[in-house]
Amino acid sequence: MDSPRIAELTTAAVGGPAHHYVRADAEQDVVDAVAAADAEGRPVLVVGGGSNLIAADAGFAGTVVHVASRGADVVAEEPGAAVLEVQAGHPWDDLVAAAVAQGLVGIEALSGIPGTTGATPVQNVGAYGQEVAQTVELVRAWDRHEARVREFTPAELAFSYRDSVLKRTTVEGSPRFVVLAVRFRLARGAESAPVRYAELARRLGVAVGERAPLAAVRDTVLALRAGKGMVLDPADRDTYSTGSFFTNPILPADLLGDRVPADVPRFPVADAAGRLLEDRVKLSAAWLIDHAGFGKGFGLPGTRNEVLGLDGAAVAGGRASLSTKHTLALTNRGGASAEDLMLLARTVRDGVASVYGVDLVAEPVIVGTAV
């Protein structure tokens, strides 16, 4: 088949042509495609749902492996729990919807996140008080260095905030370990895991730490995400993005300078085992962006950063802007290039650093260009 533009494979809808394209519909197809590219010395870019990827306008001069394997099966039953094995290309929200319908607990607050299941352990996907590190039991992956299938336990994955050994061994979208399948251990029950996120708890009418009906948690999360432009909608340009572009910065608690206001929202930091790290503090990237003068929609005609004296439309000609619903999302308003998004990202990053002395870190995989 003709090679598509990477823009056609990603939610931000940017990126040039793939030199060589392979769609892998089964686990062995993924292994074969990656192994063949490695044997021929071609660079490899692995794409799933494309919801966390920005590729350069020049495209990718190698093999793009589009992981499209499907399937989610219960492989073990335990007292009060089930173990599911899910293929890497299985749509993540399809899995969450099925889990909620079957009374399986532990990923309901991760509803509405775009992309595929195989991507979730790579960056330890999380939202609304849950992250996949809490339920992943095993990841099966192709080790390109050793040319063999390996299995990783949670301890071997070394999960941390939006990070894992899978991510740390990925260079410009080219991973050492290509995820083939993920196993999750999910409790059985009619109610959710304890609700840990204050905004979600308020909307559900429960206290933080209490439980709520599974379906109610999913429905409420979907509504919250939709209100922030974080649920894919072809008619809504605010959803043409990679979701949250910057991670919430984690800083040593004793190194917060005078430039960081006392009223910036702060969150506790825990390790993969759930132990609080008293010497670390997580700050709200959205708050820092907004209060550095980058309001919702910055980048559109008529917008301006009064703190720094910046005209919004001058950054990328109005083709790229912050979402009109949420300052963390950088959006393609129609016709944006990857470089347009990078110009906007650099402007926001440098602006926050100049006002608050905090360096924001991009969350998406960025290939062939840089913030």
Side-chain angles (χ1 to χ4, degrees), residues 107-111 127-130 192-225 228:
I107 56 175
E108 57 280 352
L110 303 178
S111 293
Y128 295 103
Q130 286 183 349
S192 69
V195 178
R196 301 297 183 191
Y197 198 81
E199 181 184 18
L200 178 57
R202 284 194 300 271
R203 289 286 290 269
L204 288 164
V206 301
V208 172
E210 292 183 347
R211 301 173 186 267
L214 269 179
V217 172
R218 174 169 168 78
D219 291 345
T220 302
V221 168
L222 288 172
L224 286 168
R225 291 184 65 86
K228 299 174 182 178

Side-chain angles (χ1 to χ4, degrees), residues 202-370:
R202 284 194 300 271
R203 289 286 290 269
L204 288 164
V206 301
V208 172
E210 292 183 347
R211 301 173 186 267
L214 269 179
V217 172
R218 174 169 168 78
D219 291 345
T220 302
V221 168
L222 288 172
L224 286 168
R225 291 184 65 86
K228 299 174 182 178
M230 297 293 187
V231 177
L232 294 179
D233 179 355
D236 184 357
R237 296 307 305 190
D238 278 334
T239 71
Y240 285 71
S241 75
T242 58
S244 297
F245 189 89
F246 294 107
T247 58
N248 290 323
I250 295 176
L251 303 174
D254 59 352
L255 292 183
L256 291 181
D258 295 337
R259 294 166 67 185
V260 178
D263 58 344
V264 60
R266 304 174 187 217
F267 311 101
V269 178
D271 63 16
R275 295 181 294 263
L276 289 180
L277 303 177
E278 303 290 350
D279 61 340
R280 294 288 186 272
V281 63
K282 185 190 301 181
L283 306 180
S284 168
W287 189 98
L288 293 169
I289 291 168
D290 188 26
H291 287 75
F294 300 101
K296 297 174 184 176
F298 177 82
L300 293 172
T303 59
R304 185 172 176 79
N305 181 325
E306 297 295 350
V307 175
L308 297 168
L310 300 174
D311 178 74
V315 177
R319 296 179 297 275
S321 80
L322 299 186
S323 167
T324 64
K325 302 179 181 71
H326 198 285
T327 57
L328 266 182
L330 277 62
T331 65
N332 179 349
R333 308 313 297 188
S337 64
E339 186 56 25
D340 288 332
L341 289 176
M342 292 300 96
L343 285 169
L344 180 61
R346 292 175 202 131
T347 301
V348 172
R349 178 201 61 191
D350 295 347
V352 169
S354 70
V355 175
Y356 294 118
V358 175
D359 294 324
L360 295 181
V361 176
E363 183 171 333
V365 174
I366 299 173
V367 180
T369 183

Side-chain angles (χ1 to χ4, degrees), residues 109-198:
L110 303 178
S111 293
I113 294 175
T116 54
T117 300
T120 62
V122 176
Q123 63 169 22
N124 187 17
V125 163
Y128 295 103
Q130 286 183 349
E131 58 186 21
V132 295
Q134 297 162 345
T135 52
V136 166
E137 182 183 66
L138 179 143
V139 169
R140 186 163 64 249
W142 175 251
D143 184 343
R144 295 169 62 198
H145 288 191
E146 298 183 6
R148 67 183 179 97
V149 174
R150 291 182 55 179
E151 293 184 342
F152 293 85
T153 65
E156 291 169 327
L157 290 165
F159 286 121
S160 59
Y161 174 64
R162 301 298 174 270
D163 201 11
S164 73
V165 70
L166 304 172
K167 183 175 179 178
R168 291 191 289 274
T169 52
T170 296
V171 179
E172 287 203 340
S174 189
R176 170 178 174 175
F177 306 109
V178 180
V179 176
L180 303 173
V182 186
R183 287 190 182 184
F184 299 89
R185 174 179 275 105
L186 302 177
R188 289 197 178 275
E191 292 197 319
S192 69
V195 178
R196 301 297 183 191
Y197 198 81

